[in-house]
Amino acid sequence: MPQLPGHTLRPTTAALLALLNTALFSGASAAEEDASDDFYDLSLQQLLVTEVEVGSFFKEKIEDVGSTVSLVTRDEWRKRGSKSVTQAVSHIPGIHQNTHSDLENVVVRGYQTATSYTGVLILVDNIPLNSYTFSSATQRVGLLDSYEQIEVIKGPGSTLYGSDAFSGLMSLKTWDSDKDISEYGLEYGNFGDYGATLKHSQGIGEKLRASINIVAQGVDDEEREYDYLGLDDQLGSEELENHRNTNSIIAKLSYENTKLMVYSHHLNSRGGGFGFNFVPLTSDGNQVDRHTDMDLFSLTHNQPINGTGEIVFKAYHWESESFADYGLQAGPIGDNGSVNIDQEEIRSGGDIKYLYNNKEDLKFVAGLTYEEIESGDQASFGQPASYGNNTRIVKSALFNADYTFAEGKAKVIVGGRFDTFNDIDEDHFSPRLGFNYYYNDNNTFKALYGNSFRAPNIQEISGLTGSVIGGGKELKPENNDTYELIHIYQDKQFSLNSTIFFSVFEDAINLSETVPLQYINSEESESWGVEVESKYKRGQFSYYGSVSYVDSYVKEPEKDSSFYEGFPDWLINYGLDYSAKQWPVDFSIYNTHRYGAKTLDNSDSINVEEGKSISPYVRTDFVTTYYMGDRSDNNTLYFQVRNLFDRDNYISGNLGSYEGRKEPSLNAVIGFRYSM
């Protein structure tokens, strides 16, 4: 196995981390203990964290937000035994976890194509991580234990966040604390999978606070099996190496309303490759070795004004370097018959927002954003890439307001954002309109409209050297109009969220069907569906359930097959938590079902039965947690089993694979968490 380059922190990063680390561990004290109500008497409303910022930049209850919003907390994903960000959100109705080569990503509401790793914006503390080269952030997402909660918008998010918030977005909130506290954790599993965490927050004097958050995670070999299509158009299967080592370090220094954050992320992995039908699989052929480093710096300042307003200033800078060696063994391409892709990217930006809230009936935000994104040195197939060393400049202005009237029974939401780009001819305006009706204390109804877009990335503009012609500055942004009807019911024991949506996807960026291949705007698609999510708590029992049906299809141009391959029609999730009174133990069992996914449509080069159903996906996970003290503390021993009944499940792929990537067999993990 080739040795991949090691990870070295830049001098500035190392110096800042050293400074913060020194500040943290000088004078640490034990965490203050909070009194808590008896756990079993808490209602569902008391247990649920329902306030989010992602839908308006204000903290709001989910029923007030002008978007379809879901929230996943650290406690929730631990009960499900989730190990990654994609796993943590995959139970949300309308969201499907799929694969792109060796990487995991999410697809929202059916738009799964060969490039479906685009279209979902990833934010870390409101800083965008998506790349200029591929429009994705998959390699930079970071480790799940680095975060406190994940806020998700399904549907349009461009009015607030601009390009890439196309079919949805995930806002990842990093761990933070305003108390002096330390947290530690270790875990180990049967595939040699391991995890280690260290978190510490420390006050320094009256106004200064420092924190550090170190997470490491890896796996020795998950022994995954991959399907592929060979040059003879026949289906084959082979077990390939699948191991990785990842670490993330997040350090913060805050003084009153100002906060500095340093974030360093490192990934080193080997996994299964694309499964291209035009590349023969050899004994070491369909593998990819991957190495990614990213360093990020951000500075945020909040300035209150007269008790009703606030100015928020944010500046950030990140640099990312990625190397991928696809050992496809396809012939004299690149070094030693491999396909090598090197990618460097730098993204810097800042924004200023004015937030106004009169605490009665009016809230609004107005803001300006400026960003520069450099594609840096790029190499593909052993040669300098045509999309390297380019710069995108984005200038944006946004406004969003909501007004409550009719004695608090109704609210109207209106907003818009205008984005300009230096590297494409067409600018974009993203409007938003919503109406909320509060029928009574338990029932809220929403009618929402939003527009979203994805600007073409530099690869689509410039093309691929020697193989694909770029679309140039004339290439239009992808455009999506979405309409939603939502009902939210919530009482002390039960909540039910129901959504009906319809979206029209225009100017999709695809490869032309004629030679020479070229990136063009070609398709119009539609997607509609129903999403239902419920929660129930009674005494020691808590129940969760969600189901969604999604029908997504290409409307124009007409094709023999109009469906989107690989995205299941039905996504079903349900689970039960039990908290024993006689022992300090919790038991959780969760089930995941996926039905109705189909193979990619037929073409001259792939001999696959058109529209053949992919095998159903059915998985059961079990978690038991022992509390070494009060349940409100973080002192626990836990045992997790993923895929309890050891089923052969495949996550559908989006690059020519037949069934997709096989999930690991039964995976058992034991660990502990301790705080002080």
Side-chain angles (χ1 to χ4, degrees):
M1 171 180 168
Q3 294 297 313
L4 300 179
H7 175 57
T8 303
L9 289 177
R10 294 181 176 84
T12 308
T13 308
L16 282 168
L17 290 174
L19 173 64
L20 289 167
N21 189 57
T22 302
L24 281 170
F25 291 101
S26 59
S29 64
E32 298 178 8
E33 296 185 1
D34 294 325
S36 61
D37 297 326
D38 180 50
F39 177 82
Y40 310 105
D41 295 331
L42 294 177
S43 69
L44 180 66
Q45 290 176 325
Q46 289 172 304
L47 286 174
L48 290 179
V49 180
T50 58
E51 285 194 333
V52 295
E53 293 182 351
V54 70
S56 67
F57 301 118
F58 295 93
K59 286 188 176 182
E60 294 183 303
K61 294 182 179 179
I62 287 178
E63 56 264 34
D64 296 327
V65 180
S67 303
T68 302
V69 176
S70 295
L71 172 66
V72 187
T73 65
R74 182 167 59 166
D75 287 342
E76 289 175 325
W77 69 60
R78 284 177 173 175
K79 287 180 179 179
R80 295 184 175 95
S82 301
K83 296 298 180 186
S84 66
V85 169
T86 56
Q87 290 178 14
V89 301
S90 62
H91 68 283
I92 297 173
I95 290 184
H96 174 53
Q97 175 189 350
N98 86 335
T99 63
H100 177 84
S101 180
D102 59 311
L103 302 171
E104 294 180 355
N105 59 282
V106 298
V107 184
V108 181
R109 293 179 170 176
Y111 290 134
Q112 174 165 317
T113 69
T115 56
S116 62
Y117 60 98
T118 66
V120 178
L121 178 64
I122 307 296
L123 304 168
V124 169
D125 288 351
N126 287 327
I127 299 167
L129 297 188
N130 291 50
S131 82
Y132 181 32
T133 308
F134 300 113
S135 300
S136 70
T138 306
Q139 300 177 58
R140 289 178 289 277
V141 167
L143 293 170
L144 184 59
D145 270 346
S146 300
Y147 306 113
E148 278 188 325
Q149 65 183 45
I150 305 172
E151 300 175 10
V152 179
I153 288 180
K154 294 180 295 181
S158 293
T159 299
L160 299 179
Y161 299 100
S163 179
D164 297 326
F166 181 75
S167 59
L169 69 92
M170 293 192 295
S171 179
L172 313 176
K173 303 298 185 181
T174 59
W175 179 85
D176 214 340
S177 178
D178 58 2
K179 300 178 181 179
D180 294 349
I181 189 171
S182 297
E183 295 185 9
Y184 311 91
L186 284 174
E187 66 178 31
Y188 188 78
N190 61 318
F191 291 125
D193 34 355
Y194 69 89
T197 62
L198 168 63
K199 298 178 170 70
H200 185 75
S201 177
Q202 179 67 44
I204 307 167
E206 294 184 0
K207 298 181 179 180
L208 189 65
R209 177 164 293 276
S211 68
I212 192 162
N213 177 358
I214 303 172
V215 183
Q217 191 180 83
V219 62
D220 183 42
D221 192 356
E222 290 180 325
E223 303 171 1
R224 296 196 183 199
E225 191 171 282
Y226 292 77
D227 285 347
Y228 67 95
L229 290 164
L231 283 178
D232 56 0
D233 286 341
Q234 297 300 310
L235 180 66
S237 181
E238 180 140 333
E239 184 179 295
L240 302 176
E241 291 182 54
N242 209 94
H243 52 77
R244 62 189 173 275
N245 295 285
T246 313
N247 61 71
S248 295
I249 303 173
I250 301 174
K252 298 180 183 179
L253 188 65
S254 59
Y255 179 80
E256 292 188 328
N257 298 323
T258 303
K259 181 172 291 186
L260 169 70
M261 180 175 76
V262 181
Y263 171 31
S264 184
H265 176 66
H266 164 61
L267 164 69
N268 194 359
S269 68
R270 163 168 275 208
F274 286 119
F276 281 157
N277 73 300
F278 55 82
V279 177
L281 183 91
T282 63
S283 59
D284 191 36
N286 200 25
Q287 297 265 196
V288 54
D289 296 311
R290 187 178 301 279
H291 180 84
T292 298
D293 289 323
M294 187 188 78
D295 292 326
L296 180 154
F297 309 88
S298 72
L299 180 68
T300 306
H301 177 73
N302 297 50
Q303 183 62 51
I305 300 175
N306 298 327
T308 58
E310 182 180 32
I311 293 177
V312 180
F313 169 79
K314 179 184 66 186
Y316 63 87
H317 173 88
W318 60 255
E319 300 184 15
S320 175
E321 298 178 7
S322 298
F323 171 80
D325 181 6
Y326 296 87
L328 300 173
Q329 309 278 336
I333 303 175
D335 298 330
N336 302 318
S338 295
V339 176
N340 310 108
I341 297 178
D342 297 305
Q343 178 191 355
E344 294 182 5
E345 188 153 318
I346 300 171
R347 186 164 186 164
S348 302
D351 62 50
I352 185 168
K353 299 184 183 74
Y354 175 67
L355 288 79
Y356 174 83
N357 183 0
N358 68 4
K359 311 293 178 64
E360 294 180 1
D361 54 9
L362 178 64
K363 289 189 297 188
F364 72 82
V365 57
L368 299 172
T369 300
Y370 178 88
E371 285 189 303
E372 288 190 10
I373 316 169
E374 299 178 37
S375 59
D377 294 330
Q378 310 279 341
S380 181
F381 296 89
Q383 302 294 327
S386 57
Y387 50 84
N389 296 305
N390 287 274
T391 300
R392 165 172 284 174
I393 297 175
V394 186
K395 301 175 184 178
S396 310
L398 72 88
F399 177 81
N400 190 80
D402 60 66
Y403 178 71
T404 303
F405 59 99
E407 298 181 343
K409 300 286 286 185
K411 179 166 74 171
V412 64
I413 303 159
V414 61
R417 174 171 170 141
F418 186 72
D419 292 89
T420 67
F421 303 85
N422 69 314
D423 56 349
I424 57 175
D425 289 338
E426 187 169 307
D427 302 325
H428 194 86
F429 178 69
S430 306
R432 176 194 203 189
L433 182 65
F435 177 75
N436 293 0
Y437 177 63
Y438 304 96
Y439 178 74
N440 56 28
D441 291 341
N442 303 113
N443 290 277
T444 302
F445 296 87
K446 303 184 193 180
L448 307 175
Y449 161 76
N451 173 269
S452 59
F453 77 105
R454 183 184 72 84
N457 58 47
I458 189 58
Q459 186 181 98
E460 294 163 337
I461 295 170
S462 300
L464 300 173
T465 305
S467 58
V468 181
I469 300 173
K473 296 187 70 174
E474 298 79 18
L475 202 60
K476 297 178 181 179
E478 296 182 328
N479 187 68
N480 190 7
D481 290 299
T482 300
Y483 308 84
E484 299 169 290
L485 294 175
I486 301 166
H487 172 237
I488 298 175
Y489 174 85
Q490 184 167 305
D491 62 27
K492 290 184 177 181
Q493 292 184 314
F494 179 69
S495 69
L496 178 68
N497 294 2
S498 305
T499 302
I500 300 173
F501 70 88
F502 173 73
S503 66
V504 179
F505 175 12
E506 296 179 317
D507 294 323
I509 299 174
N510 287 300
L511 290 175
S512 62
E513 296 183 357
T514 58
V515 178
L517 296 176
Q518 182 177 8
Y519 286 108
I520 61 172
N521 297 108
S522 62
E523 289 183 354
E524 178 181 333
S525 302
E526 293 180 352
S527 174
W528 73 273
V530 179
E531 302 163 347
V532 180
E533 185 175 32
S534 65
K535 297 178 182 179
Y536 176 75
K537 182 182 184 299
R538 187 175 182 86
Q540 299 163 253
F541 291 92
S542 299
Y543 166 80
Y544 173 86
S546 73
V547 59
S548 63
Y549 173 81
V550 179
D551 184 14
S552 54
Y553 50 90
V554 178
K555 188 176 180 181
E556 294 180 4
E558 292 186 4
K559 293 184 176 183
D560 293 338
S561 295
S562 62
F563 57 82
Y564 276 91
E565 68 272 8
F567 193 94
D569 294 336
W570 291 93
L571 309 173
I572 302 170
N573 307 275
Y574 55 95
L576 185 68
D577 301 319
Y578 174 74
S579 298
K581 272 192 173 182
Q582 56 272 44
W583 313 290
V585 181
D586 288 354
F587 301 95
S588 301
I589 188 163
Y590 281 85
N591 294 276
T592 303
H593 298 253
R594 303 286 185 262
Y595 300 105
K598 300 179 179 63
T599 56
L600 70 172
D601 62 0
N602 202 8
S603 68
D604 294 336
S605 63
I606 303 175
N607 183 24
V608 179
E609 182 182 346
E610 184 179 339
K612 179 179 174 61
S613 294
I614 293 175
S615 301
Y617 181 107
V618 180
R619 192 188 77 242
T620 300
D621 303 327
F622 173 77
V623 178
T624 182
T625 305
Y626 173 77
Y627 294 86
M628 299 178 289
D630 191 273
R631 275 186 164 86
S632 62
D633 294 335
N634 194 41
N635 304 329
T636 59
L637 296 172
Y638 59 89
F639 177 65
Q640 302 171 344
V641 181
R642 187 174 174 88
N643 195 9
L644 179 64
F645 299 111
D646 202 18
R647 282 183 53 90
D648 289 337
N649 284 317
Y650 289 81
I651 302 176
S652 57
N654 60 353
L655 280 169
S657 57
Y658 190 69
E659 289 272 14
R661 185 179 75 178
K662 186 178 181 182
E663 284 231 293
S665 55
L666 185 149
N667 179 209
V669 173
I670 189 169
F672 79 91
R673 304 182 186 99
Y674 182 75
S675 65
M676 57 181 292

